[in-house]
Amino acid sequence: MDEEIKNPAAAEGSSVAKEENSEIEECKKSREEYLNNWKRAVADLSNYKKEEMVRMGTLLSYAKENLFLEFLPIIDSLYLASQAFGKEGFAGVEKQIQEFLKKEGIEEIEVVGQKFNPEFMEIVSEEEGGETGMVAQELQKGYKMGDKVIRPAKVKVTK
């Protein structure tokens, strides 16, 4: 204390140095805060982009599904025509359609001879004979895209 009184300039320089150190510490804290906020913003943007890509994929999947729902009656008509007039004339067209569907990830649901499954099938009628609950006849083909049923198969089951 005697020293501060004897040398006031030294005491003044010490307080200036303390102020400067304090300002430097504040600047460092602000810098860290801004840097952390920037890192969070970059991570949020990255997460948003990923979520948006998933949403877009889902939207495209629904759009694709609606397209195929419009296309399926045409396939049904070709199938019925081939049944009525013989397979020879329609075999090439049917093969092309099946390849197209396979390429797009659309699969027919196999039902004939299977036990009735309400996830994949819709009962249109019942008939006597055979084991109860078995599919006796497929009246309209069912389709699925991946694990999702686009249209259930319409079937006739035994009772």
Side-chain angles (χ1 to χ4, degrees), residues 14 21 23 52 57 105 113 152:
S14 172
N21 284 340
E23 285 180 19
E52 202 57 31

Side-chain angles (χ1 to χ4, degrees), residues 47-65 145:
N47 290 337
Y48 172 77
K49 286 180 178 179
K50 289 176 188 171
E51 290 169 3
E52 202 57 31
M53 291 300 290
V54 169
R55 275 189 284 250
M56 289 300 291
T58 303
L59 181 63
L60 288 173
S61 175
Y62 285 129
K64 192 177 191 182
E65 180 180 329
M145 184 167 40

Side-chain angles (χ1 to χ4, degrees), residues 30-152:
S30 292
R31 182 193 64 168
E32 284 299 315
E33 185 178 328
Y34 288 131
L35 182 62
N36 289 334
N37 287 340
W38 177 78
K39 286 178 182 178
R40 271 193 292 281
V42 168
D44 288 345
L45 179 62
S46 177
N47 290 337
Y48 172 77
K49 286 180 178 179
K50 289 176 188 171
E51 290 169 3
E52 202 57 31
M53 291 300 290
V54 169
R55 275 189 284 250
M56 289 300 291
T58 303
L59 181 63
L60 288 173
S61 175
Y62 285 129
K64 192 177 191 182
E65 180 180 329
N66 285 333
L67 170 69
F68 288 114
L69 282 174
E70 295 286 328
F71 188 64
L72 291 178
I74 298 167
I75 294 172
D76 292 336
S77 297
L78 282 170
Y79 177 74
L80 291 173
S82 72
Q83 296 274 326
F85 301 114
K87 284 245 180 206
E88 299 82 33
F90 294 96
V93 175
E94 187 176 4
K95 183 179 178 189
Q96 285 178 321
I97 290 171
Q98 293 304 327
E99 287 174 2
F100 170 74
L101 292 175
K102 185 176 181 181
K103 183 179 86 172
E104 294 298 326
I106 307 293
E107 300 175 37
E108 286 183 15
I109 299 171
E110 296 295 324
V111 295
V112 176
Q114 304 285 324
K115 183 139 181 84
F116 175 74
N117 183 342
E119 283 185 55
F120 303 109
M121 303 169 205
E122 181 180 313
I123 296 175
V124 175
S125 65
E126 296 179 326
E127 68 180 34
E128 295 291 332
E131 186 181 338
T132 304
M134 297 299 286
V135 175
Q137 183 182 1
E138 178 180 53
L139 303 172
Q140 185 180 51
K141 291 185 178 290
Y143 294 90
K144 63 182 182 173
M145 184 167 40
D147 292 335
K148 184 176 183 195
V149 174
I150 295 174
R151 181 177 77 182

